[in-house]
Amino acid sequence: AQSVTQLDSQVPVFEEAPVELRCNYSSSVSVYLFWYVQYPNQGLQLLLKYLSGSTLVKGINGFEAEFNKSQTSFHLRKPSVHISDTAEYFCAVSEVKGNKLVFGAGTILRVKS
Amino acid sequence: GAGVSQSPSNKVTEKGKDVELRCDPISGHTALYWYRQRLGQGLEFLIYFQGNSAPDKSGLPSDRFSAERTGESVSTLTIQRTQQEDSAVYLCASSLWGRETQYFGPGTRLLVL
């Protein structure tokens, strides 16, 4: 079975500052890794995903994440955040041959002006 | 094109009543998933459909929960004799067969009084 730990429940940051949202996972098999974003009163939107290949993946809205197999991490980064990035971010994994997503508890990113 | 749709968007019910939640997946998506998001928590997997069969029901929390799907189309999640702990946002997602990316609907917010 897989599990996902998002180490920070809330991350406050000032506008134009860099941010990193941390995600660690555990699994006995290979996994796919995802970051989803949930804006206030909206559904989940895929931000980016890692399937294979290059460990640095780029997503929408200037976000990127790096897969680190040895540390079983998939941290999300953005070099300069905007007020509009205020949302809840979820890290998720699925087995390569499986289907369901296993989610972390989420990290609320609050961008302040 | 049209995304995943869910109805109703909000549902308030009394404890002990039955409720039905509906999900319309993206056309052509053979895989359909139900998740639950309780307040302040991540998403919990409930059930997965491939076509109209459900190879993974492992997340259904009790026998009060059931789901069905008509062909590769609409799915209904039914909760019988609702309890206050069933209050949550119920999210539906769909994907193409064999593909890893799930597309989420806006959810149904269920409140059991």
Side-chain angles (χ1 to χ4, degrees):
Chain A
Q2 303 90 43
S3 67
V4 178
T5 302
Q6 291 184 243
L7 297 161
D8 306 294
S9 59
Q10 293 197 40
V11 173
V13 63
F14 284 104
E15 193 172 19
E16 298 183 9
V19 71
E20 178 180 82
L21 306 184
R22 297 179 292 170
C23 173
N24 286 88
Y25 70 93
S26 67
S27 176
S28 56
V29 300
S30 296
V31 293
Y32 294 146
L33 295 149
F34 304 83
W35 277 98
Y36 280 85
V37 58
Q38 187 174 36
Y39 297 104
N41 301 313
Q42 295 186 30
L44 270 75
Q45 179 180 357
L46 180 66
L47 203 54
L48 49 78
K49 61 185 177 185
Y50 172 79
L51 306 180
S52 64
S54 173
T55 57
L56 182 65
V57 291
K58 295 188 183 296
I60 60 172
N61 301 337
F63 283 92
E64 63 182 33
E66 186 156 19
F67 169 57
N68 187 319
K69 188 173 182 179
S70 63
Q71 296 186 3
T72 60
S73 68
F74 191 55
H75 301 332
L76 181 70
R77 302 185 183 100
K78 186 170 183 178
S80 175
V81 295
H82 301 130
I83 294 287
S84 59
D85 292 323
T86 295
E88 188 159 19
Y89 292 79
F90 292 94
C91 182
V93 303
S94 70
E95 290 183 7
V96 173
K97 294 184 178 180
N99 293 286
K100 66 183 179 185
L101 289 169
V102 176
F103 284 86
T107 297
I108 296 173
L109 175 64
R110 297 190 192 280
V111 182
K112 303 177 287 185
S113 59
Chain B
V4 178
S5 61
Q6 293 185 245
S7 61
S9 54
N10 290 280
K11 177 73 176 178
V12 180
T13 190
E14 294 179 347
K15 179 181 171 181
K17 300 282 190 183
D18 297 352
V19 295
E20 283 190 355
L21 313 179
R22 176 187 169 107
C23 172
D24 278 276
I26 293 171
S27 178
H29 281 195
T30 57
L32 186 148
Y33 311 79
W34 283 98
Y35 295 88
R36 176 171 73 174
Q37 185 179 21
R38 289 195 268 196
L39 189 64
Q41 299 183 29
L43 281 76
E44 307 168 71
F45 167 77
L46 297 178
I47 186 170
Y48 153 64
F49 286 93
Q50 184 60 259
N52 61 6
S53 67
D56 190 349
K57 307 178 184 179
S58 61
L60 293 178
S62 75
D63 59 8
R64 296 187 296 104
F65 287 71
S66 62
E68 60 180 27
R69 187 179 184 194
T70 308
E72 296 181 352
S73 183
V74 172
S75 175
T76 302
L77 177 69
T78 301
I79 309 173
Q80 295 178 309
R81 305 181 302 282
T82 52
Q83 304 293 313
Q84 288 181 333
E85 62 262 28
D86 299 334
S87 296
V89 177
Y90 289 82
L91 290 155
C92 175
S94 70
S95 72
L96 290 167
W97 182 84
R99 300 300 295 272
E100 68 292 332
T101 300
Q102 297 180 23
Y103 297 87
F104 283 80
T108 293
R109 190 175 300 273
L110 175 66
L111 178 62
V112 182
L113 301 175

